[in-house]
Amino acid sequence: MKLSQRISGLLGDGSDGWEVFIKAREMIKDGIDVVELTIGEHDIRTAAPILQDMHKAAMGGHTGYAAVPGTDALRQTVAKRVQERTGVPTGPQNVLITPGGQAALFAAHMVACDAGETALYLDPFYATYPGTLRGVGAIPKAIETRAEDAFQPRTGDIDACAAGARSLLINTPNNPTGTVYSRETLEGIADVCKAHDLWLISDEVYDTQVWDGEHISPRALPDMAQRTLVVGSMSKSHAMTGSRCGWVVGPAEVIESLINLATHTTYGVAGFIQDASDFALNQGPAFEEDVAAPFRRRRALGQEILEHQSTVGLTPAQGAMYMMLDIRATGMSGEAFAYALLEAHHIAVMPGESFGAAAAGHIRVAMTIEDGAFVQALETLCEFANTLIV
Ligand code: PLP
């Protein structure tokens, strides 16, 4: 039977950039001890009190269909959190609860773009972005940021691609680069969106992981609330990746339309997951800082190692759980380096090229293993890079 073009064309050129990761997983299956610095998942599990609350909610009967837009309590809590952190008036009518940030990205583009319209995104990018945009029928168009700018986007580069486009997707703190967009960058982006009448879809799933500078939500910039859809998630802030709970925040009429979409796709998120998410969000910022602390620590340890050598360059790593390392001095592509490192030292990292052309000659290191092993792996990686220079 013939598959739809929408599905068969989802990956564009057919590669999703996960080949090194898959090879590493095969090696592990063959009994080889591989140090995995690939995917963005904490090395801790969801905290026991959150799981206890989830259990209580499920045992208490919250296992039937939950309200499609999200429970009143969770929508209220997300709205309060967003308002407190951004100053933008936000109520439950501005919030749709989704099964994770990924579903929120899809929903936001479904409401923003018609089939055949151009959806802009910035390169390097989170690996699912182009497929998500294709999935809603839009035509993805990447705008390259530059290593020499530490991957802060240039307003002029976005402006040059914006005519006729419908939306722009940004992500700060950024996966894969670790860049936190400055106020100046975000104000420039807001100006382009207003000048070209673009929807701005702002992926803020790493908003609790900022090591340098501050997280600014562009929804809070002048006249941006009516054209900005914010994507949030419990995954990174509360180590709840498997619970699949996220949200879209935007204008009330957009959320109304998204509730229609949810009715015909996901039909909501499990009630006991929502109750536990509400409980987790109400633990406050200190809890979130505890979840982020290992990455803050490892980023400092990693910086220290990189400062004591000159072969491997570090993009400033201002936020999120990754370090983007520049290995161009070795003369290798990110992909060739990642394969060679895996072969020689059984250390798995993601090639920069997995995240777009702008990250060529780089590798992304996830700071997701225990401190001592992380330090050892990074030292080995730097020594290995050094041996490649002749
Ligand atoms: N956005 C970015 C930038 C991510 O890195 C991820 C996950 O790695 C997601 C969205 C999706 O997260 P989730 O669907 O778990 O909320």
Side-chain angles (χ1 to χ4, degrees):
M1 288 294 291
K2 181 179 167 295
L3 300 183
S4 72
Q5 176 54 33
R6 177 169 277 136
I7 283 296
S8 50
L10 201 73
L11 296 184
D13 66 1
S15 154
D16 60 3
W18 287 94
E19 293 81 5
V20 177
F21 170 77
I22 292 164
K23 174 149 194 241
R25 284 286 157 105
E26 276 164 10
M27 288 167 71
I28 293 169
K29 236 196 248 159
D30 290 344
I32 300 170
D33 197 9
V34 175
V35 179
E36 278 196 284
L37 304 171
T38 46
I39 55 170
E41 183 149 41
H42 318 67
D43 47 327
I44 55 166
R45 300 287 86 184
T46 305
I50 299 176
L51 296 177
Q52 277 150 6
D53 193 81
M54 198 181 288
H55 181 76
K56 193 174 93 200
M59 294 304 284
H62 209 172
T63 54
Y65 291 123
V68 170
T71 62
D72 290 346
L74 183 56
R75 291 175 89 197
Q76 183 73 54
T77 296
V78 170
K80 183 164 164 276
R81 169 191 177 87
V82 169
Q83 179 165 324
E84 275 170 10
R85 292 181 184 201
T86 63
V88 185
T90 308
Q93 72 282 3
N94 300 113
V95 180
L96 172 81
I97 304 301
T98 61
Q102 180 57 46
L105 283 165
F106 185 81
H109 284 92
M110 275 293 273
V111 80
C113 298
D114 270 319
E117 288 186 324
T118 300
L120 305 173
Y121 65 110
L122 299 171
D123 176 351
F125 50 86
Y126 172 51
T128 68
Y129 280 2
T132 304
L133 307 186
R134 282 187 208 105
V136 309
I139 300 171
K141 184 172 174 54
I143 303 167
E144 285 191 28
T145 58
R146 306 161 196 236
E148 74 253 33
D149 298 338
F151 301 106
Q152 286 278 341
R154 291 189 192 181
T155 306
D157 291 345
I158 302 175
D159 193 54
C161 296
R166 178 56 60 209
S167 63
L168 169 65
L169 169 58
I170 65 169
N171 170 222
T172 178
N174 188 269
N175 174 14
T177 62
T179 304
V180 172
Y181 292 180
S182 65
R183 180 170 291 279
E184 194 190 349
T185 296
L186 289 166
E187 285 174 351
I189 287 172
D191 288 344
V192 174
C193 290
K194 285 184 269 188
H196 293 276
D197 197 20
L198 301 181
W199 285 103
L200 180 62
I201 296 163
S202 179
D203 179 343
E204 303 180 19
V205 302
Y206 293 99
D207 64 349
T208 61
Q209 298 180 3
V210 179
W211 327 129
D212 242 0
E214 57 167 335
H215 171 67
I216 298 166
S217 175
R219 181 168 174 265
L221 297 178
D223 301 322
M224 285 305 288
Q226 66 266 34
R227 63 172 68 250
T228 304
L229 306 177
V230 174
V231 169
S233 171
M234 298 303 293
S235 288
K236 314 294 176 175
S237 56
H238 291 78
M240 290 178 70
T241 47
S243 290
R244 313 311 302 135
C245 189
W247 51 82
V248 180
V249 171
E253 63 279 13
V254 173
I255 298 302
E256 274 303 313
S257 301
L258 285 176
I259 294 168
N260 280 337
L261 175 67
T263 302
H264 296 91
T265 52
T266 60
Y267 214 81
V269 174
F272 54 91
I273 297 285
Q274 294 195 65
D275 288 351
S277 298
D278 187 34
F279 171 87
L281 288 172
N282 281 307
Q283 300 313 295
F287 182 93
E288 293 165 27
E289 181 45 42
D290 280 352
V291 175
F295 307 122
R296 185 188 289 283
R297 223 171 42 231
R298 290 167 200 158
R299 182 258 196 176
L301 291 167
Q303 253 181 337
E304 170 83 13
I305 292 167
L306 288 153
E307 273 162 17
H308 287 93
Q309 56 81 57
S310 54
T311 306
V312 179
L314 172 66
T315 307
Q318 298 166 291
M321 49 176 87
Y322 315 97
M323 293 183 135
M324 184 59 101
L325 304 183
D326 182 348
I327 51 87
R328 285 175 291 182
T330 65
M332 290 175 109
S333 69
E335 188 174 18
F337 184 91
Y339 272 120
L341 183 68
L342 184 59
E343 269 313 288
H345 294 287
H346 300 168
I347 297 173
V349 298
M350 293 296 286
E353 293 84 359
S354 307
F355 308 103
H362 288 68
I363 51 169
R364 189 195 74 173
V365 172
M367 301 186 282
T368 48
I369 58 170
E370 172 277 311
D371 296 13
F374 179 70
V375 164
Q376 204 177 356
L378 213 52
E379 280 172 352
T380 305
L381 185 156
C382 290
E383 280 158 23
F384 178 65
N386 228 7
T387 64
L388 299 170
I389 300 205
V390 274

